[in-house]
Amino acid sequence: MNIVLWIVVFLGTFLFMEGMAWFTHKYIMHGFLWKLHKDHHKKDHSSWWERNDLFFVFYALVSIACFLLWRYEDVWIGLPIGLGILAYGITYFTVHDIFIHQRFKIFRNAENRYAKGIRRAHKMHHKHLGKEHGECFGMLWVPYKYFRK
């Protein structure tokens, strides 16, 4: 197998997942599955776990399915796709849940321009408590205006 192709598939999957996260967030989480996502915008419980976390579980299962295809069905592309989804999930958890929402109290004082822009964009997204009129559905790529001072 060609290692360059493997790396291209892995990186392509990682980048694709940002688009997938945007699409899922805008049209599914703020659409027909709002019931699962709304506790992320307006906390209506005292648990650390949110119903919204089920979306993370869904993508973890997709990643696991890709690993299983690779391992048991000898589908080579399953490994780089599964790892690309896993890498995006780890990145998403680190940026969204730890850095932005501070579910764990670390990375609190990041002062670089990118970190501030990501936080500003997400703050604008959470300004809307309902499912309508949302903005900034991406996580790693947000509009340039949030990076300006």
Side-chain angles (χ1 to χ4, degrees):
M1 182 198 35
N2 184 340
I3 190 70
V4 173
L5 181 57
W6 194 97
I7 292 169
V8 166
V9 171
F10 169 80
L11 292 174
T13 300
F14 184 91
L15 296 173
F16 176 78
M17 286 304 296
E18 175 68 6
M20 195 63 174
W22 177 90
F23 177 87
T24 303
H25 193 183
K26 183 168 182 158
Y27 295 108
I28 296 175
M29 293 176 177
H30 281 258
F32 67 94
L33 288 181
W34 172 251
K35 189 172 195 97
L36 295 178
H37 184 61
K38 71 180 176 181
D39 70 336
H40 181 65
H41 282 262
K42 187 174 182 184
K43 196 164 179 146
D44 61 359
H45 56 83
S46 60
S47 173
W48 182 81
W49 175 264
E50 297 177 349
R51 289 180 300 274
N52 183 66
D53 294 330
L54 288 171
F55 293 105
F56 182 79
V57 171
F58 169 77
Y59 283 111
L61 292 173
V62 172
S63 180
I64 291 167
C66 290
F67 292 137
L68 293 174
L69 278 173
W70 165 71
R71 176 67 174 93
Y72 294 107
E73 299 297 326
D74 201 28
V75 178
W76 75 267
I77 202 166
L79 182 60
I81 290 174
L83 287 172
I85 295 169
L86 173 63
Y88 186 82
I90 291 168
T91 303
Y92 190 96
F93 181 76
T94 303
V95 172
H96 182 264
D97 291 299
I98 296 175
F99 174 67
I100 293 173
H101 286 290
Q102 292 292 302
R103 285 175 95 168
F104 300 100
K105 307 300 182 200
I106 55 176
F107 305 131
R108 297 181 116 177
N109 300 318
E111 292 296 323
N112 71 61
R113 192 171 167 203
Y114 179 74
K116 287 180 177 181
I118 293 290
R119 277 192 168 147
R120 278 187 205 114
H122 206 78
K123 186 174 187 174
M124 289 307 296
H125 177 74
H126 279 271
K127 178 177 91 170
H128 306 283
L129 296 179
K131 97 182 213 182
E132 305 296 330
H133 310 297
E135 58 184 283
C136 296
F137 293 95
M139 195 233 348
L140 298 175
W141 295 334
V142 298
Y144 178 72
K145 67 182 180 179
Y146 297 107
F147 298 106
R148 289 188 230 138
K149 291 186 177 192

